[in-house]
Amino acid sequence: MGAENNESLDLLSVFLTGIPGLEAQHGWLSIPFFIMYMVAIVGNSLIMAAVQADSALHEPMYLFLSMLAISEVGVSVSTLPTVMGILWLDAYRINFDGCLAQMFFIHTFSGMESGVLLAMSYDRFVAIYNPLRYTAILTLPRIIFMGMGITLKSAALMGPLPILLKRLPYCHINILSHSYCLHSDLIQLPCADTRLNSILGLAIVLATFGLDSLLIVISYGLILYTVMGIASGEGRKKALNTCVSHICAVLIYYVPMIGVSVMHRVAKHASPVVHTLMSSIYLFVPPVLNPIIYSVKTRPIQQGIASLFSCKKGLI
């Protein structure tokens, strides 16, 4: 009876993987990972607080930036419990339902991040193509509608993934190759046909990241076409300068994603450490770097964050 219970427990659990070959260094490795999490969560939270508190930042560009910060905090918080649990406590086991929930939130917030980057590219296009009607086109109700649409679209697309995985049979100990649960890992576990899951996963990738990246490229093609029509060289430089932070955010988000995809196909036999690090860069680097980039490159954000601390200092 005890053996049957243990077997049943194993089938309802998933075993995560830390950093292969570096298990003895998990204590030291936890320090940079914890710092990255703190920078991502605190940095993005400061941007959200600054935008909320400063009425001068209640403009489309900064409202979209606040949405980006929300999605990045969501990604960071979704992975933090298992990553730090492994590095601090050697907690490799996770309940299967908990793993499905983590997978849903990681992919949902990642999809939201991609959708917000697309919305921000549209924002930059409108600001450059038709600056006089910028605030008339991107009104607060429309921005809220876009934000809700991005959230609902991402959640609706990712919703079927855990439901389909939950219905499949699992007949061996389930070991994943990361410190968190991803759909691409989980569909390798069932001892049944997973073609429907694979097709659905590919369709979701094309409908979110594929379509979003294509539309972002088209937006910047139109932006460049519009900028080339500006007579003044100083005017062209000023227009393009408003896009620098967003271009950096797009590159930081999509380049690691493409790198992970290429690694899985071209370098299948590379060291597991390489695959683990590439996946970690894809999930951890954008939430860490984006608040830094926007804080450095965007003076109103700097002033908004500074005013937060000055208000707190005044209260003290």
Side-chain angles (χ1 to χ4, degrees):
M1 187 71 176
E4 289 179 3
N5 287 338
N6 288 336
E7 183 180 0
S8 174
L9 181 63
D10 284 338
L11 295 179
L12 291 174
S13 298
V14 172
F15 293 89
L16 303 170
T17 301
I19 302 177
L22 298 177
E23 288 82 2
Q25 283 74 44
H26 275 181
W28 290 106
L29 289 171
S30 68
I31 297 172
F33 273 90
F34 182 72
I35 291 172
M36 284 194 296
Y37 274 120
M38 289 301 99
V39 171
I41 294 171
V42 174
N44 284 291
S45 297
L46 283 174
I47 287 177
M48 287 187 282
V51 172
Q52 191 276 330
D54 191 345
S55 58
L57 296 178
H58 293 175
E59 296 181 9
M61 175 183 176
Y62 305 116
L63 294 174
F64 285 126
L65 176 58
S66 184
M67 293 180 196
L68 182 66
I70 291 170
S71 63
E72 290 180 334
V73 168
V75 171
S76 297
V77 171
S78 297
T79 60
L80 185 149
T82 53
V83 172
M84 298 311 300
I86 289 173
L87 295 177
W88 278 342
L89 306 172
D90 291 330
Y92 292 93
R93 177 181 241 161
I94 180 174
N95 178 272
F96 187 67
D97 288 335
C99 189
L100 292 179
Q102 185 186 50
M103 177 202 74
F104 170 78
F105 285 113
I106 290 174
H107 290 307
T108 296
F109 283 116
S110 293
M112 286 172 58
E113 191 173 353
S114 177
V116 173
L117 287 172
L118 172 59
M120 293 174 80
S121 70
Y122 175 69
D123 164 77
R124 291 298 84 207
F125 169 69
V126 174
I128 292 171
Y129 179 74
N130 201 345
L132 296 178
R133 299 196 64 238
Y134 175 59
T135 54
I137 294 173
L138 289 172
T139 61
L140 181 59
R142 285 177 181 169
I143 293 170
I144 294 172
F145 180 77
M146 290 170 71
M148 291 177 61
I150 290 168
T151 303
L152 291 174
K153 174 195 170 187
S154 186
L157 285 174
M158 305 304 172
L161 297 181
I163 295 172
L164 290 174
L165 284 169
K166 180 77 172 175
R167 298 176 62 183
L168 293 172
Y170 298 84
C171 47
H172 53 78
I173 295 178
N174 305 305
I175 302 176
L176 301 181
S177 57
H178 297 96
S179 303
Y180 37 81
C181 302
L182 299 176
H183 183 256
S184 57
D185 251 4
L186 284 167
I187 60 172
Q188 308 298 324
L189 300 182
C191 49
D193 188 356
T194 59
R195 279 179 295 181
L196 176 60
N197 300 69
S198 298
I199 292 170
L200 179 60
L202 177 60
I204 290 171
V205 168
L206 293 176
T208 52
F209 309 112
L211 181 60
D212 290 348
S213 60
L214 175 62
L215 292 175
I216 289 171
V217 170
I218 292 172
S219 295
Y220 271 97
L222 294 172
I223 287 171
L224 286 174
Y225 179 78
T226 303
V227 168
M228 296 290 42
I230 299 175
S232 165
E234 185 65 28
R236 288 197 293 268
K237 182 180 177 181
K238 185 178 179 181
L240 288 174
N241 193 50
T242 65
C243 301
V244 170
S245 297
H246 180 254
I247 292 171
C248 290
V250 170
L251 292 176
I252 288 168
Y253 182 77
Y254 282 104
V255 170
M257 180 189 294
I258 294 169
V260 169
S261 179
V262 171
M263 284 291 297
H264 276 295
R265 288 160 176 78
V266 176
K268 290 182 179 179
H269 303 295
S271 168
V273 177
V274 176
H275 289 285
T276 300
L277 289 177
M278 286 295 295
S279 298
S280 297
I281 289 170
Y282 158 57
L283 281 178
F284 300 152
V285 169
V288 171
L289 290 187
N290 279 338
I292 296 173
I293 290 170
Y294 275 97
S295 298
V296 171
K297 292 291 296 179
T298 312
R299 186 172 295 276
I301 293 294
Q302 294 176 12
Q303 295 170 343
I305 293 174
S307 67
L308 283 176
F309 287 102
S310 63
C311 287
K312 288 180 180 178
K313 188 175 180 181
L315 290 173
I316 292 172

